[in-house]
Amino acid sequence: MRMRVVSLLPSATEHVCAVGGRDLLVGVSHECDFPSDVIGLPVLTRCRTSLGRDSLAIDQSIRNLLTRAVAVYEVDVDALAAVRPDVIVTQDLCDVCAVSYDDVCAAARTLGNPDLRIVNLHPTRLADIWSDLRAVGEALGLSAESAISEYTARIEAISARVAGLARPRVLTIEWLAPAMIGGTWMPELVVLAGGEPLVTKPGDHAPTMADEALAALDPEVVLIKPCGFDIARTLAERPRVEAIAAMFPRARTFVADGNAYFNRPGPRIVESLEIMAAAVHPEVFGEDTRLVRV
């Protein structure tokens, strides 16, 4: 009998598909949107409340929920039971990005399936993303090695092209208001793209910075890619985007899709690096249509 797999976050869904497990998926999260043919599968999670219309309101809503120890997202236990999973892929890295690991475990216990396997992902560095891909493949009885070889070859090709070049100072913006700086694997992407990351080191959680401290930095490249926002959603807050860009008149400032790329620790992190490389070294990589210059 074919294995029945549930993914409760977008990057996990991409991992499942990357190792050849698309046909095993029987349910996904409310945010899973890639590959496009996962749209239409049963949706097993939801947001508990409206989070607001702009970055500051969303941030305040989430902080209020977390202060009251209320999870931002929840599992639809009835829908989960209906799809009868053998494997659930989830994460415990960020309760703001997906349902909490504890809530997933609690929901799983209600299913009464002693053989149910929970694969828990916790990527903070680039290497962790490939380890997670291997873990997903192993749980599904599929190999991730071919996919990982392809991805690492693309990464090494970019790194080789920037070897010996000057390294511009790069600032990555993870959230608009308050401003948050890209952490976890982002500094690694900056280095691989031939830049020098500002503020954070690999594995750091994304810190919040007041505008005064932000303006004191001196980047040569600024990449704005808020978590969960595509380019259109980011540019819907154009005054804030332009205010950030105005802090750094000597820098090249770009907006990129922070939902599909950069903040989603799945296979498309390689495309994120390719986008980053075009922002940092356009003289080598040319223009990238996935970037919008501010």
Side-chain angles (χ1 to χ4, degrees):
M1 188 168 63
R2 189 167 66 180
M3 184 181 296
R4 301 174 64 82
V5 179
V6 159
S7 167
L8 298 184
L9 68 157
S11 60
T13 296
E14 296 190 30
H15 278 326
V16 170
C17 295
V19 299
R22 164 62 185 87
D23 291 343
L24 306 179
L25 279 170
V26 296
V28 293
S29 81
H30 65 288
E31 294 183 320
C32 293
D33 58 5
F34 189 88
S36 59
D37 65 355
V38 304
I39 299 172
L41 287 171
V43 174
L44 309 178
T45 66
R46 58 197 170 213
C47 189
R48 289 180 179 270
T49 185
S50 174
L51 294 179
R53 299 182 63 180
D54 60 30
S55 297
L56 186 59
I58 292 170
D59 180 78
Q60 291 172 340
S61 295
I62 289 174
R63 291 178 190 273
N64 288 339
L65 287 171
L66 297 179
T67 297
R68 294 186 283 121
V70 176
V72 179
Y73 305 104
E74 62 183 347
V75 181
D76 184 334
V77 177
D78 292 337
L80 182 65
V83 300
R84 298 177 289 108
D86 301 303
V87 176
I88 298 174
V89 189
T90 187
Q91 58 91 46
D92 66 355
L93 177 64
C94 178
D95 290 347
V96 174
C97 298
V99 290
S100 75
Y101 178 69
D102 289 343
D103 285 353
V104 173
C105 291
R109 286 194 292 270
T110 70
L111 303 182
N113 178 2
D115 297 322
L116 175 62
R117 180 170 180 178
I118 298 177
V119 180
N120 185 43
L121 310 181
H122 188 92
T124 62
R125 300 284 300 270
L126 192 59
D128 298 333
I129 298 175
W130 311 135
S131 295
D132 285 348
L133 185 57
R134 286 190 177 94
V136 170
E138 187 275 328
L140 275 53
L142 300 168
S143 174
E145 297 311 313
S146 176
I148 292 172
S149 294
E150 175 197 338
Y151 302 143
T152 54
R154 288 165 64 184
I155 290 170
E156 289 167 0
I158 291 173
S159 180
R161 291 180 69 183
V162 300
L165 298 180
R167 291 189 168 268
R169 297 179 301 279
V170 180
L171 178 66
T172 65
I173 304 291
E174 193 104 329
W175 193 248
L176 293 174
M180 300 177 73
I181 311 305
T184 54
W185 47 85
M186 282 304 304
E188 291 177 279
L189 293 186
V190 171
V191 171
L192 287 166
E196 175 190 342
L198 296 180
V199 181
T200 56
K201 303 184 300 299
D204 285 352
H205 290 292
T208 299
M209 291 190 74
D211 281 358
E212 295 79 6
L214 191 67
L217 300 173
D218 185 28
E220 296 166 86
V221 178
V222 178
L223 184 62
I224 301 173
K225 36 83 188 170
C227 187
F229 283 14
D230 62 16
I231 289 175
R233 178 63 186 81
T234 300
L235 293 178
E237 298 186 40
R238 183 174 284 276
R240 177 58 177 164
V241 171
E242 292 179 345
I244 292 173
M247 296 179 190
F248 313 113
R250 296 191 299 173
R252 301 190 304 275
T253 300
F254 301 92
V255 170
D257 188 333
N259 181 48
Y261 308 110
F262 297 105
N263 303 303
R264 187 178 293 196
R268 286 191 292 171
I269 205 69
V270 179
E271 292 183 55
S272 305
L273 174 59
E274 292 166 349
I275 297 167
M276 172 72 75
V280 177
H281 284 292
E283 76 282 5
V284 174
F285 298 97
E287 294 185 3
D288 193 306
T289 58
R290 294 166 293 185
L291 288 168
V292 173
R293 183 78 180 261
V294 180

